[in-house]
């Protein structure tokens, strides 16, 4: 090998060993945002959770006492149970509405773009605004739902839908499905459109009916899309706060206090900032575990 060839080979090796600074520069803004708005706040929250941290006054180190306290906090356990119950119910309802809608708007038909737009419109409304809207709709005097039920002959007089636990819970679930189903529908629609048309046509030629194509073709190929939609729905349900705070203020009888609502009360009503920080870290750990389990179940399904 000539001297020139050796120099060129050495230069190539140095370039291969040199870190890709250009790539790091491209992702530096995103890394900075994650560091400032996620890593540092989470670290500071973890530090607060190890202290008795009042709103005013000196902070005092107490170690893991705030974490031990939550295991004996009956109200926190009740908030966890209610949040789990709400998450299961509302996630099932969202998928029960969003999946048929996705199947409906996936096919090319007249006005399909209009259907997609109308179904997606509630998503652009803020959750707080949607909650206020439904408070008015459910109002016993000036609302729309009560008089409509009375006009249809379903009730004798306009009911106060937010007065009892069952009716208030149902009203909130309907509001959340109305608001979120369009977003879940769009996610599922992308998965449906990603299925190759050749596979569907081959299944039709082989004589597979609609249910067989859905069961053995559509669902397996949409596993990742369904997992994404499920993680988003479960995470959003666990972090629910606005609807309970605005529509019922945690009632009736404080039976509709979610975990985030309880953290809010401890932090900004009772001013137990250290305990509220510990509850926040515990909730973060719960979310991480749930997400990891869902992703693991997805991977196990694919290995089969």
């Amino acid at each position: 090998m000539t001297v020139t060839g050796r120099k060129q080979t050495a230069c190539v090796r140095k370039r291969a060993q040199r870190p890709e600074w250009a790539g790091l520069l491209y992702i530096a803004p995103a890394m900075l945002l994650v560091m400032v708005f996620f890593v540092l706040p989470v670290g500071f929250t973890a530090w607060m959770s190890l202290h008795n941290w009042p709103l005013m006054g000196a902070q005092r180190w107490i170690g893991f006492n705030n974490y031990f306290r939550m295991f004996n906090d009956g109200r926190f356990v009740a908030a966890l149970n209610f949040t789990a119950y709400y998450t299961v119910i509302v996630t099932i309802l969202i998928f029960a509405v969003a999946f048929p809608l996705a199947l409906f708007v996936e096919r090319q038909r007249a006005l399909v773009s209009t259907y997609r737009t109308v179904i997606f419109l509630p998503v652009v409304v803020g959750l707080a605004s949607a909650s206020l809207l439904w408070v008015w709709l459910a109002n016993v005097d000036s609302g729309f739902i009560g008089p409509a039920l009375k006009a249809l002959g379903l009730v004798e007089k306009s009911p106060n839908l937010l007065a009892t636990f069952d009716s208030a819970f149902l009203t909130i679930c309907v509001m959340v499905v109305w608001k979120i189903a369009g977003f879940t529908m769009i996610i599922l629609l992308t998965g449906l459109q990603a299925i190759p048309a050749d596979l569907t046509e081959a299944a039709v030629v082989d004589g597979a009916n609609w249910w067989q194509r859905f069961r053995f073709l559509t669902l397996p190929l949409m596993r990742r899309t369904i997992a994404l939609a499920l993680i988003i729905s479960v995470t959003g349900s666990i972090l629910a706060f606005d609807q309970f705070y605005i529509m019922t203020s945690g009632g009736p009888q404080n039976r509709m206090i979610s975990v985030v609502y309880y953290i809010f009360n401890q932090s900004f009503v009772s001013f137990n900032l250290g305990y509220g920080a510990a509850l926040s870290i515990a909730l973060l750990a719960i979310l991480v575990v749930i997400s990891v389990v869902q992703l693991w179940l997805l991977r196990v399904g694919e290995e089969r």
Side-chain angles (χ1 to χ4, degrees):
M1 182 180 294
T2 63
V3 176
T4 304
R6 292 177 181 176
K7 290 182 178 180
Q8 290 178 349
T9 304
C11 290
V12 171
R13 290 178 179 176
K14 289 181 179 180
R15 290 175 183 175
Q17 295 174 358
R18 185 182 305 168
E20 298 292 340
W21 295 110
L24 293 177
L25 288 176
Y26 281 123
I27 67 173
M31 293 177 62
L32 181 61
L33 290 175
V34 172
M35 180 67 67
V36 172
F37 293 105
F38 180 75
V39 176
L40 292 180
V42 169
F44 185 69
T45 302
W47 174 253
M48 287 180 61
S49 69
L50 303 176
H51 292 75
N52 180 6
W53 198 295
L55 182 64
M56 301 181 65
Q59 299 83 32
R60 181 168 55 88
W61 173 271
I62 58 174
F64 293 96
N65 287 352
N66 283 325
Y67 293 95
F68 297 144
R69 173 184 172 184
M70 72 177 63
F71 291 106
N72 298 319
D73 189 346
R75 292 178 296 174
F76 175 62
V77 175
L80 276 177
N81 292 333
F82 171 74
T83 303
Y85 174 71
Y86 167 78
T87 299
V88 171
I89 297 299
V90 82
T91 299
I92 292 175
L93 291 177
I94 288 174
F95 272 81
V97 173
F99 218 130
L101 288 176
L103 293 171
F104 174 74
V105 300
E106 191 266 338
R107 297 181 180 179
Q108 293 298 325
R109 65 183 77 214
L111 301 177
V112 66
S113 298
T114 304
Y115 295 146
R116 294 174 182 175
T117 302
V118 171
I119 295 170
F120 187 78
L121 273 179
V123 178
V124 304
V125 180
L127 188 56
S129 300
S131 300
L132 289 172
L133 172 64
W134 278 74
V135 167
W136 170 74
L137 290 174
N139 188 278
V140 66
D141 297 318
S142 59
F144 171 78
I145 298 177
L149 295 176
K150 183 179 178 181
L152 293 173
L154 300 177
V155 294
E156 295 182 359
K157 60 179 182 179
S158 298
N160 188 352
L161 296 176
L162 301 179
T164 63
F165 174 81
D166 291 335
S167 60
F169 184 79
L170 178 61
T171 302
I172 289 178
C173 287
V174 172
M175 185 276 294
V176 172
V177 171
W178 169 80
K179 165 109 176 57
I180 303 298
F183 178 73
T184 306
M185 178 203 72
I186 293 298
I187 296 177
L188 297 175
L189 179 61
T190 59
L192 289 172
Q193 293 179 335
I195 298 176
D198 296 342
L199 295 179
T200 304
E201 294 174 358
V204 172
V205 171
D206 290 339
N209 56 34
W210 178 87
W211 171 249
Q212 291 172 331
R213 296 196 303 271
F214 179 77
R215 169 66 179 83
F216 298 104
L217 181 64
T218 303
L219 287 181
L221 292 177
M222 288 188 62
R223 187 180 296 274
R224 289 184 178 275
T225 305
I226 294 174
L228 172 62
L230 184 62
I231 290 174
I232 294 175
S233 179
V234 170
T235 302
S237 301
I238 293 176
L239 296 177
F241 169 75
D242 300 55
Q243 56 268 44
F244 300 116
Y245 179 75
I246 295 173
M247 297 183 68
T248 65
S249 298
Q253 300 176 346
N254 292 328
R255 295 178 60 190
M256 301 184 70
I257 295 180
S258 64
V259 174
V260 176
Y261 196 167
Y262 186 68
I263 294 174
F264 169 81
N265 283 337
Q266 289 296 318
S267 301
F268 304 110
V269 177
S270 301
F271 300 121
N272 297 323
L273 298 181
Y275 185 51
L279 295 174
S280 300
I281 295 298
L283 179 58
L284 175 62
I286 292 172
L287 289 172
V288 170
V289 170
I290 291 176
S291 300
V292 169
V293 169
Q294 291 183 75
L295 292 174
W296 177 77
L297 291 175
L298 170 64
R299 186 182 64 183
V300 170
E302 288 183 341
E303 290 176 353
R304 294 176 184 174

